[in-house]
């Protein structure tokens, strides 16, 4: 396995420290950014819902504006005393001018327009009671005139008439199905009160085909994969991308708690959102936003709901996370490359010093080599100290060489002296050998002498005993002589 050099070790440690530090920082930033981006994504979805709701509101308020214009024009005609048939034709002109609506109409209270209802009984724009209520409907210039009041039903005056008359505010109805000139139409009625001196004397309005609203709603595709649906004030789905769900109560698809929460929020003019599995089509986890529609002074009537797959809502969060990870990886790669180059530059003098030491320890050991570096830092200090060390070592080696030369002469003298000493030593060894031989001879002679001495000792002992015996004999002889002398003396005396 290849040895990991100082450069590699420093890179590993510094890289690990940088990776941990930068990774921790990125993790904190990513976590906070993810939470912030999640909130931003949800908030952007809510703003998107308001934007789409604004489109629908503008469509309905445009219808309300057309109705107001019809009412204003009729009041002008009424004040000018213009007859009904001219006023009726004027109402039809609005239909020609605004092709986005299906019908334009008006309905006055009894005798409210010109006080001549009795005279106009049975006319096509007046009906059996003679009230002025022209109704123009049709498309592409094929317009027909009828009455706005439904005289065929038991209650000719529907909520489109009674509510504005009672409240003095605009009315935005739910889609209703009715027949015009033999054609069955599903349309939404928008009506406004016609007032004079504070009193409501009639209503003017337009009908918008429900299919037109459906196109507007189904064209809404939040985040490219979501969809929208429109809920009426009665909780009925007015428009949905899937026609199978239109006309069904929204309560069929949500819990009673969710329906109650939606109702409370939208009644206060606030949106309501939650995350749940989609009850429509593909069962994806989706983010739902119920945005109330505010139609001027009429307040809240309808609700626009957006369904956005959660993965689409959080796509910016995932993108941000991947971007942060990519930035982290890129930063670490760049940091590693920068550290590698920087460490290489910083450690190059050390490599030169290592090479010089290797040259000294191997081969010819050239002590004249120096590392050329002028760097004012620790590595520069190390290289200068290394150069000083090599210089000192060179001086030491020179001294050793000089000493070696002197020791060489001394060695030669010692060699000659050693030769002489060797000759003397050989002679001494020969003398020692002679002494050894003499010692052996003397030892043998000593042994013989020792035997002779022992014999002499024995003879001396015998002689000693003989002397002792002779001494004893002499002593006795002396005594005898003394006795004899004494006896002689006695004898002489006598």
């Amino acid at each position: 396995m290849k040895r990991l050099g100082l450069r590699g070790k420093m890179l590993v440690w510094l890289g690990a420290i940088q990776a941990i530090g930068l990774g921790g920082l990125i993790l904190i930033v990513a976590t906070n950014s993810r939470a912030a981006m999640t909130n931003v994504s949800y908030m952007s979805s809510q703003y998107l819902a308001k934007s789409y709701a604004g489109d629908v509101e503008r469509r309905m308020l445009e219808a309300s504006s057309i109705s107001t214009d019809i009412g204003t024009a009729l009041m002008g005609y009424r004040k000018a005393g213009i007859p009904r048939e001219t006023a009726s034709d004027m109402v039809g002109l609005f239909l020609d001018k605004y092709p986005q609506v299906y019908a334009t109409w008006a309905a006055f209270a009894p005798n409210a327009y010109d006080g001549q209802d009795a005279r106009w009984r049975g006319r096509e724009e007046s009906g059996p009671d003679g009230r002025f209520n022209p109704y123009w409907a049709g498309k592409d210039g094929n317009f027909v005139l009828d009455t706005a009041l439904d005289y065929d039903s038991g209650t000719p005056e529907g909520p489109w008439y009674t509510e504005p008359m009672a409240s003095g505010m605009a009315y935005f109805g739910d889609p209703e199905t009715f027949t015009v000139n033999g054609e069955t139409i599903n349309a939404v009625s928008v009506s406004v009160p016609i007032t004079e001196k504070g009193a409501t004397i009639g209503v003017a309005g337009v009908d918008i085909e429900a299919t037109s609203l459906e196109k507007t709603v189904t064209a809404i595709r939040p985040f490219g994969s979501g969809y929208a649906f429109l809920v009426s004030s009665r909780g009925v789905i007015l428009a949905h991308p899937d026609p199978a769900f239109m006309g069904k109560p929204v309560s069929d698809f949500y819990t009673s708690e969710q329906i109650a929460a939606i109702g409370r929020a939208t009644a206060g003019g606030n949106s309501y959102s939650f995350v749940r599995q989609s009850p429509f089509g593909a069962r994806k986890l989706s983010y739902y936003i119920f945005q109330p529609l505010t139609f001027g002074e009429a307040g809240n009537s309808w609700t626009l709901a957006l369904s956005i797959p959660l993965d689409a809502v959080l796509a910016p969060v995932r993108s941000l996370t991947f971007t942060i990870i990519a930035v982290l990886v890129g930063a670490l790669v760049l940091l590693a490359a920068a550290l590698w180059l920087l460490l290489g530059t910083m450690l190059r003098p050390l490599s030169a010093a290592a090479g010089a030491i290797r040259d000294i320890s191997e081969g010819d050991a050239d002590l004249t080599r120096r590392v050329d570096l002028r760097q004012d830092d620790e590595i520069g200090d190390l290289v200068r100290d290394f150069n000083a060390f090599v210089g000192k070592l060179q001086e030491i080696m020179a001294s050793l060489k000089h000493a070696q030369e002197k020791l060489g002469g001394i060695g030669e003298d010692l060699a000659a002296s050693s030769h002489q000493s060797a000759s003397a030593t050989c002679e001494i060894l020969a003398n020692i050998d002679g002494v050894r031989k003499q010692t052996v001879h003397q030892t043998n002679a000593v042994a013989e002498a020792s035997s002779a001495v022992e014999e002499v000792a024995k003879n001396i002992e015998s002689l000693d005993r003989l002397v002792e015996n002779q001494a004893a004999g002499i002593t006795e002889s002396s005594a005898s002589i003394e006795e004899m002398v004494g006896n002689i003396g006695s004898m002489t005396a006598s």
Side-chain angles (χ1 to χ4, degrees):
M1 183 177 178
K2 188 176 180 180
R3 180 173 65 94
L4 187 63
L6 181 60
R7 185 182 187 182
K9 291 179 180 178
M10 292 180 69
L11 179 63
V12 170
W13 281 103
L14 291 175
I17 293 172
Q18 292 291 337
I20 293 172
L22 187 59
L25 177 62
I26 293 296
L27 180 62
I28 294 172
V29 172
T31 302
N32 294 336
S33 298
R34 182 179 178 85
M37 281 296 294
T38 300
N39 291 333
V40 168
S41 296
Y42 285 140
M43 290 179 63
S44 65
S45 300
Q46 294 174 2
Y47 283 121
L48 195 62
K50 291 181 180 179
S51 175
Y52 287 132
D55 293 339
V56 178
E57 288 174 353
R58 282 190 292 273
R59 180 74 186 278
M60 300 304 293
L61 291 175
E62 180 186 33
S64 174
S65 178
I66 296 172
S67 301
T68 300
D69 290 344
I70 294 173
T72 302
L74 286 173
M75 284 301 296
Y77 275 47
R78 176 177 177 275
K79 291 179 179 179
I82 296 175
R84 292 187 180 191
E85 58 268 33
T86 303
S88 176
D89 291 340
M90 181 271 298
V91 174
L93 292 177
F94 276 90
L95 182 61
D96 188 47
K97 182 179 180 181
Y98 299 102
Q100 65 267 34
V101 300
Y102 177 77
T104 55
W105 48 268
F108 280 83
N111 289 313
Y113 181 74
D114 56 7
Q116 299 182 15
D117 288 353
R119 177 186 169 192
W120 290 92
R121 288 176 183 171
R123 302 283 183 95
E124 54 185 355
E125 71 272 14
S126 299
D129 58 359
R131 293 171 59 182
F132 184 47
N133 60 112
Y135 182 91
W136 288 92
K139 293 181 293 186
D140 303 325
N142 299 318
F143 306 138
V144 296
L145 178 61
D146 201 346
T147 57
L149 300 175
D150 186 7
Y151 293 104
D152 295 331
S153 66
T155 54
E157 300 172 347
W160 50 267
Y161 177 83
T162 56
E163 290 193 16
M165 290 291 291
S167 65
M169 294 188 299
Y171 167 81
F172 298 87
D174 293 339
E176 295 183 5
T177 302
F178 50 90
T179 302
V180 177
N181 196 28
E183 182 181 4
T184 301
I185 299 297
N186 188 27
V188 174
S189 296
V190 178
S191 58
V192 297
I194 300 174
T195 60
E196 182 182 44
K197 296 180 181 180
T200 303
I201 61 174
V203 298
V206 298
D207 288 344
I208 303 172
E209 283 188 285
T211 54
S212 176
L213 285 176
E214 291 169 15
K215 291 178 181 179
T216 301
V217 173
T218 56
I220 298 174
R221 302 291 294 177
F223 290 89
S225 58
Y227 62 89
F229 57 96
L230 192 62
V231 181
S232 72
S233 58
R234 294 178 297 173
V236 176
I237 297 177
L238 302 178
H240 195 282
D242 189 347
F245 295 102
M246 291 178 58
K248 293 184 177 181
V250 73
S251 58
D252 290 352
F253 307 102
Y254 299 97
T255 64
S256 58
E257 290 80 5
Q258 289 173 335
I259 294 297
I262 293 170
R264 286 193 299 270
T266 55
N270 301 314
S271 62
Y272 184 78
S273 59
F274 55 86
V275 175
R276 60 157 287 174
Q277 193 177 45
S278 174
F280 307 113
R283 300 286 178 170
K284 291 183 178 180
L285 196 64
S286 299
Y287 181 55
Y288 284 89
I289 308 169
F290 288 81
Q291 178 65 40
L293 303 181
T294 303
F295 301 137
E297 296 179 354
N300 173 41
S301 294
W302 295 349
T303 301
L304 180 69
L306 298 187
S307 174
I308 311 171
L310 200 60
D311 55 358
V313 175
L314 299 179
V317 178
R318 289 194 302 272
S319 177
L320 175 64
T321 302
F322 292 148
T323 300
I324 291 175
I325 293 174
V327 169
L328 172 61
V329 173
L332 289 177
V333 170
L334 292 176
L335 180 61
L339 284 175
W340 182 261
L341 295 175
L342 179 61
L343 290 175
T345 303
M346 294 175 61
L347 298 178
R348 189 173 295 115
L350 291 181
S351 299
I357 293 173
R358 188 163 48 252
D359 290 342
I360 293 172
S361 63
E362 299 174 353
D364 297 334
D366 184 9
L367 294 178
T368 62
R369 179 172 178 178
R370 299 291 186 272
V371 179
D372 186 15
L373 176 69
R374 293 177 177 83
Q375 189 169 314
D376 189 15
D377 55 16
E378 289 79 0
I379 295 178
D381 294 341
L382 176 62
V383 171
R384 282 189 291 273
D385 292 341
F386 169 75
N387 289 335
F389 167 73
V390 173
K392 190 68 175 177
L393 186 60
Q394 185 180 12
E395 293 177 2
I396 293 172
M397 292 303 296
S399 299
L400 289 175
K401 186 176 181 181
H402 178 68
Q404 183 181 12
E405 291 175 353
K406 293 179 64 176
L407 288 174
I410 295 172
E412 291 177 358
D413 295 340
L414 287 174
S417 298
S418 297
H419 181 70
Q420 294 176 359
S421 297
S423 299
T425 301
C426 289
E427 186 177 350
I428 291 170
L429 289 175
N431 292 333
I432 290 173
D433 186 63
V435 172
R436 184 184 61 79
K437 290 179 181 180
Q438 290 179 3
T439 301
V440 172
H441 179 71
Q442 290 177 357
T443 300
N444 292 332
V446 168
E448 293 176 0
S450 179
S451 300
V453 169
E454 289 178 0
E455 185 68 26
V456 169
K458 290 179 181 180
N459 292 331
I460 291 172
E461 288 178 359
S462 298
L463 182 59
D464 183 63
R465 285 191 300 270
L466 181 60
V467 169
E468 287 179 354
N469 291 330
Q470 289 179 353
I474 292 171
T475 300
E476 290 179 357
S477 295
S478 293
S480 294
I481 291 170
E482 288 179 356
E483 185 178 356
M484 287 177 63
V485 169
N487 287 331
I488 294 171
S490 294
M491 290 175 63
T492 300
S494 54

